[in-house]
Amino acid sequence: MLLELSEEHREHLSFLPKVDYAVVAEFGRISLEFLRKGSNPKVYEGAARKLSVSSNTVQHGVEGLTYLLTESSKLMISELDFQDSVLVLGFSEDLNKLLLQLYLDNRKEIRTILSELAPVFPSYHNLEWRLDVQLASRCLRQQIKPTMTLKLHLSQDGEQSSQVLQTDPATLLHLIQQLEEALGEMKTNHCRRIVRNIK
């Protein structure tokens, strides 16, 4: 699977051949720091002074390299696919080897960082339900008005919470139908491939 880079990312990465290989390796280190702690303008300014370029140029170069490494790590692309993806950028063979080495050395750490950054959603724990049917009221003697009351128990980080939902049967049937369609979609080859690449 080849990594597709937009024109903007190619433009950001076009700065790399203009600097020394040691600087590219340093940009790789800064990219990992960017993933761990976020953007640090002082680092960009310091590097810009040393290279006699604007801090925006350095920032774009680091962001482009970060994107290249994170997307490659997310998709777990092979060495050959990474080389082919970088080959279209028109870099020298030595720079391509350096980028490949950066990717191979850091892909496990990048995947670990990305998994820590992923949001944690509540998970299903239990479901209680009740069906209420109103047969008549003072105004209407013959009326049938069913209502489903659901109490959804969720757990997140060891803590339990519950949500009470109330709906009519028609809406509940529509919800069930949509969820079954989503589960059916998850069984397709395309979705299985995506889920396999996410893990």
Side-chain angles (χ1 to χ4, degrees), residues 19-31:
V19 295
D20 191 39
Y21 296 139
V23 174
V24 175
E26 182 65 17
F27 277 14
R29 188 193 63 75
I30 293 171
S31 295

Side-chain angles (χ1 to χ4, degrees), residues 42-185:
K42 290 181 181 178
V43 173
Y44 300 141
E45 290 169 7
R49 274 195 302 275
K50 289 179 184 174
L51 298 172
S52 302
V53 294
S54 70
S55 65
N56 274 348
T57 306
V58 172
Q59 182 176 354
H60 290 312
V62 169
E63 287 172 356
L65 187 57
T66 303
Y67 178 80
L68 178 69
L69 295 174
T70 54
E71 288 302 308
S72 301
S73 298
K74 269 190 221 175
L75 299 173
M76 284 297 287
I77 62 176
S78 66
E79 291 181 39
L80 186 61
D81 287 342
F82 184 85
Q83 287 175 328
D84 291 343
S85 299
V86 175
L87 191 64
V88 299
L89 297 172
F91 294 163
S92 68
E93 191 175 326
D94 292 338
L95 183 55
N96 287 347
K97 285 181 181 176
L98 178 63
L99 291 174
L100 175 64
Q101 197 58 45
L102 272 173
Y103 167 64
L104 294 175
D105 291 346
N106 298 307
R107 69 178 166 190
K108 286 182 182 175
E109 185 178 357
I110 291 170
R111 284 184 65 83
T112 304
I113 292 169
L114 292 176
S115 66
E116 290 169 1
L117 295 175
V120 179
F121 296 108
S123 61
Y124 169 83
H125 181 71
N126 196 9
L127 176 71
E128 298 175 37
W129 62 274
R130 185 177 75 216
L131 176 63
D132 295 323
V133 180
Q134 184 176 351
L135 299 174
S137 66
R138 289 183 187 173
C139 301
L140 296 169
R141 294 229 181 254
Q142 298 204 353
Q143 161 190 351
I144 297 177
K145 184 180 176 188
T147 306
M148 286 291 299
T149 305
L150 306 166
K151 188 172 187 182
L152 184 62
H153 297 275
L154 304 170
S155 60
Q156 182 176 10
D157 298 330
E159 294 182 18
Q160 300 276 333
S161 64
S162 61
Q163 300 287 326
V164 178
L165 311 164
Q166 196 169 34
T167 184
D168 60 294
T171 306
L172 184 60
L173 286 173
H174 177 69
L175 179 64
I176 291 169
Q177 180 186 5
Q178 293 297 312
L179 289 172
E180 285 175 348
E181 285 178 17
L183 285 172
E185 183 72 24

Side-chain angles (χ1 to χ4, degrees), residues 178-192:
Q178 293 297 312
L179 289 172
E180 285 175 348
E181 285 178 17
L183 285 172
E185 183 72 24
M186 284 300 296
K187 293 178 183 175
T188 63
N189 288 335
H190 179 68
C191 285
R192 284 181 180 173

